[in-house]
Amino acid sequence: MLSIWRISWRNMTQNKKRLFFTLLAMVLGTAFVTSMLIADKTTDDVFDYYEQMYVANADYWVLSDDYTFPEDLISPILNEPIVSNSLLALDKQAFFELADDRSLSQRAVRITGVSDQSSPLLTLPVIEGKLDNEGLIVPEPVAELLGKGVGDTIQFTGMGEAKISAIVEYTQLLASPSNWERAESTSFRVLAPLSLLREWTGKQDKISYMRFQVEGDGTELFNTFQQNFQGTSTYIEPVVADDLQSNDIGGLYTFFYLIAGLSIFISGFIVFNMIYTSVIERKKEFAIMKSLGYTQSSVSKLVLIEMTLLAFIGTAIGVPLGIWLGDLFMKALLGVFEFDMVYTMNWEMPSLIGVLIGLLFPIVFSLFPIYYAGKTSILLTMKMADRTTSTSKRHYVKAFFGVVLLLLGTIDHPVSYAAIIAGAILLFPYLLKGLSALMKPVFVTFYKYPGTLASRNVTRQLNRNGNTAAILAIGIAVILLLSAVVESAPRGIDNDIRSTYGGNMRVKSEAPWLAEDMEKILSYSGVTNVEPLAEATPITWETIEGQMRQFSVLAVRENGPSLYTHGQEKDIMNRLRQNPSVLLGERAFAEWGGTIGESIVLNTPNGKKSFEVIGVGKTSHYAGYVAFMDALVMNDVFGWANSFDLLLSVDKEPYDTIRDQLWTDFSSHLSKVETVEDEIQSTTSAISGMNELLFVMLVLVVGLASIGTANTLLMNTLERVSELGTMRALGFTKRQVRNMILAEGLLIGLTGILGGLATGILLIYLTSKSQLMDGFLSFQLPYSDMLLAIVAGVFLSLVAAWISSKSASKMDIQTLLKEG
């Protein structure tokens, strides 16, 4: 048994450069897969971590649609024996007192007073200081912007001052802008002792909400108080760990797995190319082995052991490299988000999966060559014959199927993408042959006679060279499609937000808006319309499987602002008014899992109620994780009476002027002023940041494909050793040999680049016309990435060709003739 492994090792190391390139492709393929798996799991863990941090250990909370409510309303709950922990909180908008000349909107801060800063119902990762229930707790970005540290004093306009007792990491509860520009539309947040905030505000018996934890099953308690609170402004909800309103990263997972699959596909092709060529070269060896008594399975087993050895080596190097790349990728990925997030790399299970994939994919891609090696015919091989007959008929069939698959790719279906890629791969040998004929005059001009030979040589191994170019092309095409999506997504999101935002500005208040408030705002120069917006949040609900989720419910009115698009808005509004029903956003509908016409169960302020789902609307609000209800139904049946938001339509007047006026006139209860541009910038910033990652991915994919080009050229060169020796003997110089191989590599690379650009453009065009994308992707080419693909493809193809040409040019004439 040991001798077989030694023989396998000897066979692998006979051609060290080919072994190196194949092993490098396997290492990079395994590393890319491992890093993408790590990025997937770690990203998921990051958002789960912050979601659980926000929920802490709370089971239920009591809120109000009047913003605050008397503390004595929740006394019966606090007296319940099963209530083990509770946390009372009061929110109050205020302003920092700063020496710098900052606007009111930039100085706005929401102070949350809590009854116990160290409560188990509150998770605050402390960086510096301690939770002493005496001073302020500020997030790190706020401390840095204000230039404050633990022990320093912060003063609030018209309220008072307090010292900082602790600085904490980012949490959802204290999510704050990290720069003054973002502070224009987003308030800072700090925590204070409840007693101190009550002293400042005079609200001695008021709270905004209460969280509590129960021992055992609190369902009976929840049902009891849900009934008791009906008809009041107070309501009770389960605390649900569900951040899908603020976390729309499903597309990232698709991105991760697409890159991983592409890497494995390219690496697998390189492995297949190497082992298949090796089997062809060793047919005499296999025939002799079988004549000496080796069986078909013994020969196949020998080749299998060779691939197993390579797989073990590639995995041993690739997985640790993938862990390192995964860490780098996470730093780059989280860097595109607005807040500084911490993460702990989840590498154990992804690494194990990476090991399994690293061990299996080389063997899977080698199954046909392994089988082919065992089927070697002794008689035909010894006669130097081959069972392969004329392949012209096979070429026609291959071309026919390639064209058919491309035509099938025009069908609007997800499978069409696979059809286009498969069709392109089948047609690439003919593209290489045609381009070789077209480029021949150019190569002759630059390389003289070696250029003529290069144009001829690439067609001698047409399938191998065409497939090598195809792999480069597919990598380029997929990355270009991703780039187009990333570039076009902000434009699509921009259109969606503007069409469903409901106006130009959204104004939030701590108190319900009064009719006189709206009249005053309507009198502002440039304000053409003011509409109240009722938003009930957080509202918990049940999926079809009975899982608890939470979202917001927005009120809509006939002739009111457009908050969604459906195509039959008038019919939807009529149906919403006729009976208690809801329209779900796309993501909410997908998460719910039911069908139109079924009922969704909501925990409303008036108790648990069922509402018929009458349709699905496309909306930018909370990325579609939302529900819409008629305003009258929301008031009468749902039990939500007040509007804390206003939607303003603005004409011509600068937003900043109106924003400043709003903060001046309503500073006592105004909490946030956001423009449609602010929402667009906030939503698209993370997507725009993906461009840099795609640039890196494009270079990596082209680099991986270029390893295949180097391997193919090296195999082509080794197969022509006798021919090269003859050419040298007839007067060819080393430089001419080198130029010939450089021209071959350049031709393969150009075919891959041009084919990749054409395939990418076709994919982008068909995607832009697809109803599945619903206008999300416009037909606009990512020119910067296309230019990068051309430059990187040409450069790396030349590097790959140069490596192979150096090997051939270094061999002297005697060595070439002997090896031939």
Side-chain angles (χ1 to χ4, degrees), residues 62-77:
V62 180
L63 309 102
S64 172
D65 71 345
D66 211 10
Y67 198 75
T68 62
F69 58 93
E71 184 180 339
D72 57 14
L73 283 179
I74 48 92
S75 297
I77 296 178

Side-chain angles (χ1 to χ4, degrees), residues 757-769:
L757 294 177
T759 307
I761 292 171
L762 178 62
L763 289 174
I764 294 169
Y765 175 76
L766 293 176
T767 304
S768 68
K769 299 299 180 183

Side-chain angles (χ1 to χ4, degrees), residues 238-477:
V239 175
V240 178
D242 183 5
D243 69 340
L244 290 181
Q245 279 196 322
S246 57
N247 170 19
D248 182 16
I249 58 171
L252 285 179
Y253 298 148
T254 305
F255 174 80
F256 294 151
Y257 288 117
L258 187 58
I259 295 298
L262 188 61
S263 302
I264 284 295
F265 179 69
I266 295 174
S267 300
F269 167 77
I270 295 172
V271 171
F272 171 84
N273 227 10
M274 185 279 292
I275 193 66
Y276 186 71
T277 303
S278 176
V279 167
I280 297 297
E281 292 174 348
R282 294 161 58 191
K283 288 183 71 174
K284 276 189 178 181
E285 175 189 335
F286 297 145
I288 293 172
M289 290 172 64
K290 294 183 77 172
S291 67
L292 294 175
Y294 276 74
T295 63
Q296 176 179 335
S297 61
S298 298
V299 174
S300 295
K301 183 179 179 181
L302 179 65
V303 182
L304 177 61
I305 290 174
E306 293 175 15
M307 290 312 305
T308 303
L309 273 172
L310 273 178
F312 269 105
I313 297 171
T315 303
I317 301 172
V319 170
L321 179 61
I323 295 173
W324 178 72
L325 286 175
D327 189 35
L328 291 181
F329 191 82
M330 283 306 304
K331 290 177 181 176
L333 178 64
L334 294 180
V336 306
F337 292 98
E338 180 182 352
F339 306 110
D340 294 328
M341 297 183 179
V342 298
Y343 69 93
T344 300
M345 224 176 23
N346 184 341
W347 61 272
E348 291 90 348
M349 184 56 68
S351 296
L352 179 59
I353 297 174
V355 168
L356 293 176
I357 293 175
L359 293 176
L360 290 177
F361 92 84
I363 296 174
V364 170
F365 278 91
S366 304
L367 287 177
F368 176 74
I370 290 171
Y371 170 79
Y372 188 66
K375 293 289 288 183
T376 301
S377 170
I378 300 174
L379 183 60
L380 292 176
T381 302
M382 292 305 177
K383 287 182 176 181
M384 298 301 292
D386 196 281
R387 287 176 292 180
T388 304
T389 56
S390 173
T391 58
S392 58
K393 184 177 180 181
R394 190 172 11 170
H395 284 322
Y396 286 126
V397 172
K398 191 175 178 181
F400 172 76
F401 276 109
V403 173
V404 169
L405 287 171
L406 283 182
L407 292 175
L408 289 175
T410 60
I411 300 174
D412 192 11
H413 192 277
V415 179
S416 63
Y417 293 96
I420 291 173
I421 291 174
I425 292 174
L426 289 176
L427 293 174
F428 252 88
Y430 312 105
L431 176 62
L432 177 61
K433 191 172 183 179
L435 191 62
S436 174
L438 289 174
M439 292 295 294
K440 185 176 179 179
V442 178
F443 281 7
V444 170
T445 301
F446 283 95
Y447 295 110
K448 308 302 180 184
Y449 186 60
T452 303
L453 292 178
S455 299
R456 185 192 68 188
N457 289 338
V458 292
T459 60
R460 291 169 60 179
Q461 287 288 353
L462 189 60
N463 284 331
R464 181 197 297 167
N465 295 333
N467 289 339
T468 300
I471 294 303
L472 173 61
I474 298 308
I476 290 174

Side-chain angles (χ1 to χ4, degrees), residues 548-704:
M548 293 299 298
R549 294 287 185 267
Q550 74 174 28
F551 57 19
S552 296
V553 180
L554 299 179
V556 291
R557 301 185 310 281
E558 189 174 14
N559 301 322
S562 298
L563 302 180
Y564 64 87
T565 57
H566 181 271
Q568 298 177 341
E569 277 79 358
K570 188 173 182 179
D571 178 60
I572 289 292
M573 281 304 308
N574 289 333
R575 294 180 63 188
L576 285 174
R577 289 197 305 272
Q578 288 171 3
N579 65 302
S581 55
V582 294
L583 177 84
L584 294 181
E586 291 176 316
R587 290 181 67 215
F589 183 80
E591 186 71 16
W592 173 54
T595 58
I596 294 175
E598 291 186 278
S599 294
I600 184 172
V601 179
L602 306 180
N603 284 309
T604 78
N606 275 345
K608 184 176 292 187
K609 295 184 180 297
S610 296
F611 296 86
E612 180 187 355
V613 177
I614 62 170
V616 183
K618 186 174 183 180
T619 180
S620 62
H621 294 278
Y622 302 109
Y625 200 66
V626 69
F628 298 96
M629 183 180 293
D630 179 74
L632 293 177
V633 173
M634 178 176 278
N635 189 359
D636 299 336
V637 180
F638 192 86
W640 192 275
N642 293 315
S643 297
F644 295 91
D645 293 61
L646 294 178
L647 292 171
L648 278 57
S649 296
V650 178
D651 182 28
K652 297 181 181 178
E653 192 73 20
Y655 293 142
D656 289 344
T657 302
I658 298 174
R659 191 201 308 264
D660 292 341
Q661 198 167 358
L662 285 166
W663 279 108
T664 300
D665 291 342
F666 302 101
S667 59
S668 61
H669 58 85
L670 195 63
S671 62
K672 185 175 183 178
V673 179
E674 181 187 66
T675 68
V676 66
E677 272 72 21
D678 293 332
E679 176 69 8
I680 292 169
Q681 195 278 331
S682 176
T683 305
T684 60
S685 59
I687 298 175
S688 300
M690 295 295 291
N691 270 321
E692 296 178 5
L693 291 176
L694 280 174
F695 263 70
V696 175
M697 289 298 168
L698 178 59
V699 174
L700 290 176
V701 167
V702 172
L704 183 58

Side-chain angles (χ1 to χ4, degrees), residues 22-256:
T22 305
L23 192 58
L24 181 59
M26 293 169 66
V27 166
L28 292 179
T30 303
F32 288 167
V33 167
T34 304
S35 64
M36 292 299 107
L37 290 172
I38 289 173
D40 174 15
K41 297 302 180 185
T42 304
T43 303
D44 207 12
D45 286 351
V46 166
F47 287 100
D48 282 345
Y49 168 73
Y50 285 108
E51 179 183 318
Q52 293 298 329
M53 182 187 296
Y54 181 75
V55 169
N57 297 312
D59 296 311
Y60 300 96
W61 56 353
V62 180
L63 309 102
S64 172
D65 71 345
D66 211 10
Y67 198 75
T68 62
F69 58 93
E71 184 180 339
D72 57 14
L73 283 179
I74 48 92
S75 297
I77 296 178
L78 296 177
N79 293 329
E80 288 287 335
I82 65 170
V83 175
S84 55
N85 287 294
S86 62
L87 179 73
L88 279 61
L90 173 66
D91 290 331
K92 184 66 184 77
Q93 199 70 22
F95 301 94
F96 287 131
E97 189 70 43
L98 301 176
D100 298 338
D101 184 19
R102 299 290 178 183
S103 64
L104 280 177
S105 57
Q106 288 179 315
R107 295 192 285 117
V109 54
R110 190 181 74 181
I111 308 174
T112 299
V114 293
S115 56
D116 183 6
Q117 293 177 346
S118 57
S119 169
L121 305 184
L122 195 62
T123 303
L124 298 169
V126 177
I127 297 175
E128 183 183 356
K130 61 179 181 179
L131 309 176
D132 58 7
N133 285 313
E134 294 182 3
L136 301 175
I137 300 172
V138 300
E140 188 176 22
V142 176
E144 291 178 353
L145 270 184
L146 298 181
K148 302 286 187 179
V150 172
D152 292 338
T153 298
I154 295 180
Q155 188 168 357
F156 301 93
T157 302
M159 293 180 66
E161 62 180 23
K163 290 184 177 181
I164 297 175
S165 59
I167 296 174
V168 298
E169 293 177 4
Y170 164 79
T171 69
Q172 284 182 285
L173 181 64
L174 295 178
S176 300
S178 56
N179 56 65
W180 292 112
E181 183 180 357
R182 285 292 297 152
E184 286 282 0
S185 58
T186 305
S187 294
F188 295 104
R189 299 182 183 182
V190 301
L191 277 182
L194 178 59
S195 58
L196 178 63
L197 186 58
R198 281 176 167 175
E199 180 185 331
W200 285 349
T201 60
K203 296 184 177 182
Q204 295 298 333
D205 65 337
K206 297 286 188 178
I207 60 172
S208 298
Y209 60 87
M210 179 195 71
R211 290 184 174 194
F212 64 95
Q213 183 183 26
V214 299
E215 295 177 353
D217 186 8
T219 304
E220 185 177 345
L221 181 147
F222 169 71
N223 291 334
T224 298
F225 282 96
Q226 192 176 48
Q227 292 293 323
N228 292 344
F229 287 145
Q230 287 189 26
T232 71
S233 64
T234 307
Y235 65 102
I236 185 171
E237 293 280 354
V239 175
V240 178
D242 183 5
D243 69 340
L244 290 181
Q245 279 196 322
S246 57
N247 170 19
D248 182 16
I249 58 171
L252 285 179
Y253 298 148
T254 305
F255 174 80
F256 294 151

